[in-house]
Amino acid sequence: MMGGLFGIAAAGANKAFAAGPGFTNPDFIDDRKAKTKGFDIIYEARDLSLDQNVRDGMTQARSSLDATKARVKDAEVKLNEAGAFVDKKYWTEGRNVLRRLVGTLRFDLAALASSKTGASKKEAMKANKEFFASLESFDLAMSKKNVDAGKKAFAKTISAYKNAVSLTA
């Protein structure tokens, strides 16, 4: 009895999925362009046969020094935006701008410094450390909500940023 019921259900399902008057062929989309731009990076992150640097995206980000230099150059706009928030006393917004900026900027400046060799690499690494120390003092001044200390720390941060960029470029 049960076999008969399942047989009837299977026959009905077979007719429902058969190609009929409303059936259209599936559309195939060529995604090769999207893949070259990094669309499938999420799948690389899960592929355990790849090296950890590839899965984390470290290799892709360091593959183009021109793109890295462009990101570092764009960081100056964000730094100036954070400095403007000191004048307006928008402490939280200014600190948020710094937080969003610092991770990528630290990675990019380290990548540019690692492309150097010898004494110039050591100078670039030292300039990067000085820049991030001044950036942290700028963040501290904003957390204390001190306008004068914030302006001084911002000026020092911009100076250290320009020094770090000049040594890594």
Side-chain angles (χ1 to χ4, degrees):
M1 170 105 175
M2 289 295 264
L5 288 177
F6 287 125
I8 293 171
N14 206 8
K15 287 182 183 178
F17 291 116
F23 180 76
T24 59
N25 288 328
D27 296 327
F28 294 104
I29 300 170
D30 186 13
D31 276 343
R32 285 179 281 190
K33 255 188 202 176
K35 282 188 172 189
T36 60
K37 292 182 180 177
F39 178 76
D40 58 347
I41 288 176
I42 188 65
Y43 299 110
E44 289 179 358
R46 296 177 181 147
D47 187 2
L48 296 177
S49 65
L50 295 174
D51 187 31
Q52 186 67 37
N53 284 339
V54 174
R55 292 188 331 196
D56 288 343
M58 303 294 187
T59 308
Q60 294 90 334
R62 289 186 176 168
S63 63
S64 171
L65 284 180
D66 293 332
T68 303
K69 288 178 184 178
R71 283 193 305 269
V72 168
K73 192 170 203 153
D74 291 341
E76 187 173 7
V77 174
K78 293 294 183 185
L79 282 174
N80 288 326
E81 183 181 334
F85 285 132
V86 171
D87 293 331
K88 296 177 185 178
K89 297 183 181 179
Y90 290 174
W91 308 112
T92 306
E93 288 298 319
R95 293 185 73 205
N96 285 340
V97 168
L98 290 181
R99 304 251 183 233
R100 285 189 293 262
L101 174 70
V102 75
T104 308
L105 188 59
R106 187 180 305 269
F107 178 79
D108 288 340
L109 286 175
L112 290 175
S114 67
S115 69
K116 304 287 182 189
T117 57
S120 62
K121 182 176 182 175
K122 287 182 182 179
E123 288 177 21
M125 297 292 267
K126 183 180 177 188
N128 289 351
K129 277 188 178 181
E130 290 172 1
F131 165 64
F132 285 110
S134 66
L135 188 69
E136 288 170 6
S137 67
F138 178 45
D139 183 51
L140 181 63
M142 283 200 294
S143 70
K144 291 184 176 181
K145 300 180 180 179
N146 188 337
V147 176
D148 294 331
K151 286 181 180 180
K152 288 178 187 175
F154 174 67
K156 186 178 176 185
T157 301
I158 288 293
S159 173
Y161 168 78
K162 290 182 178 178
N163 184 36
V165 169
S166 70
L167 290 175
T168 56

